[in-house]
């Protein structure tokens, strides 16, 4: 999905142990210390959002596979620091998505990646303006029904 600069989760019905995946949510990454030493720590330039995407793409480039552990369960307080629909969330989410995908994309992919998030950012900003003063109830917990087992290829 590099053409749009987005990632897509695995539907629960398709989740099987050992299923190869491209990107894993940071709340559920489990990896060997040797891989952390090899890859280094997470890139602090991303601060919020998509730091896990960048780490997974860096792992892929280093030949480290990412697979599901479908029976594990992780509870994660989503957007607890910033609020799910806050302007700060939208800013960092879209900025970092563009940054991470530009870092790993081909020249042609960079064109489509630029157009798609720019459209999404404009749409999100418009929705924030429309919903100003109308707080919505956020679901504080999201359930990720998987974790990751890392192994070298």
């Amino acid at each position: 999905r590099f053409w749009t600069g987005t990632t897509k989760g695995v539907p629960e019905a398709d989740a099987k142990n050992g299923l190869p995946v491209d990107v894993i949510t940071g709340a559920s990454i489990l990896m060997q210390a040797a891989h952390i030493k090899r890859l280094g720590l997470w890139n602090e330039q991303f601060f919020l959002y998509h730091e896990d995407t960048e780490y997974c793409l860096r792992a892929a480039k280093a030949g480290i596979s990412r697979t599901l552990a479908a029976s594990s369960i992780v509870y994660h307080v989503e957007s607890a620091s910033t609020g799910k629909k806050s302007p700060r969330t939208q800013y960092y989410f879209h900025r970092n998505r563009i940054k991470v995908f530009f870092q790993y994309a081909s020249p042609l992919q960079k064109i489509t990646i630029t157009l798609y998030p720019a459209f999404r950012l404009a749409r999100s900003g418009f929705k924030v303006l429309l919903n100003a003063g109308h707080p919505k109830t956020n679901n504080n917990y999201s359930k990720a029904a998987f974790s990751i087992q890392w192994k070298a290829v």
Side-chain angles (χ1 to χ4, degrees), residues 2 12 16 35 63 73 87-88 90 120 122 124:
F2 252 76
E12 197 167 339
K16 294 174 180 53
H35 293 315
I73 297 173
R88 183 176 182 203
Q90 296 301 312
R120 295 282 309 258
S124 295

Side-chain angles (χ1 to χ4, degrees), residues 111-143:
I111 294 169
T112 61
I113 289 168
T114 301
L115 297 175
Y116 185 77
F119 167 74
R120 295 282 309 258
L121 181 59
R123 189 179 76 173
S124 295
F126 186 67
K127 284 182 179 181
V128 167
L129 290 174
L130 287 177
N131 292 324
H134 301 288
K136 294 182 179 181
T137 304
N138 286 334
N139 180 2
N140 290 333
Y141 292 91
S142 64
K143 179 179 172 185

Side-chain angles (χ1 to χ4, degrees), residues 23-30 42 52-53 56 74 76 144 146-148:
V23 176
I24 304 140
T25 183
S28 64
I29 290 178
L30 177 65
W42 289 25
D52 46 4
T53 303
C56 290
V74 175
H76 174 253
F146 56 87
S147 185
I148 303 307

Side-chain angles (χ1 to χ4, degrees), residues 68-91:
L68 290 180
S71 58
S72 68
I73 297 173
V74 175
Y75 292 95
H76 174 253
V77 180
E78 188 177 359
S79 301
S81 306
T82 58
K84 191 166 180 108
K85 297 291 184 183
S86 75
R88 183 176 182 203
T89 296
Q90 296 301 312
Y91 170 76

Side-chain angles (χ1 to χ4, degrees), residues 11-87:
E12 197 167 339
D14 297 337
K16 294 174 180 53
N17 283 329
L19 178 72
V21 295
D22 295 320
V23 176
I24 304 140
T25 183
S28 64
I29 290 178
L30 177 65
M31 64 188 301
Q32 297 172 5
H35 293 315
I36 296 171
K37 286 179 184 174
R38 185 172 164 197
L39 293 173
L41 300 176
W42 289 25
N43 187 338
E44 292 182 10
Q45 291 180 3
F46 292 97
F47 177 56
L48 290 169
Y49 305 105
H50 293 289
E51 65 275 11
D52 46 4
T53 303
E54 190 280 329
Y55 204 70
C56 290
L57 293 172
R58 193 175 350 147
K61 193 173 181 179
I64 299 171
S65 65
R66 287 101 33 239
T67 60
L68 290 180
S71 58
S72 68
I73 297 173
V74 175
Y75 292 95
H76 174 253
V77 180
E78 188 177 359
S79 301
S81 306
T82 58
K84 191 166 180 108
K85 297 291 184 183
S86 75

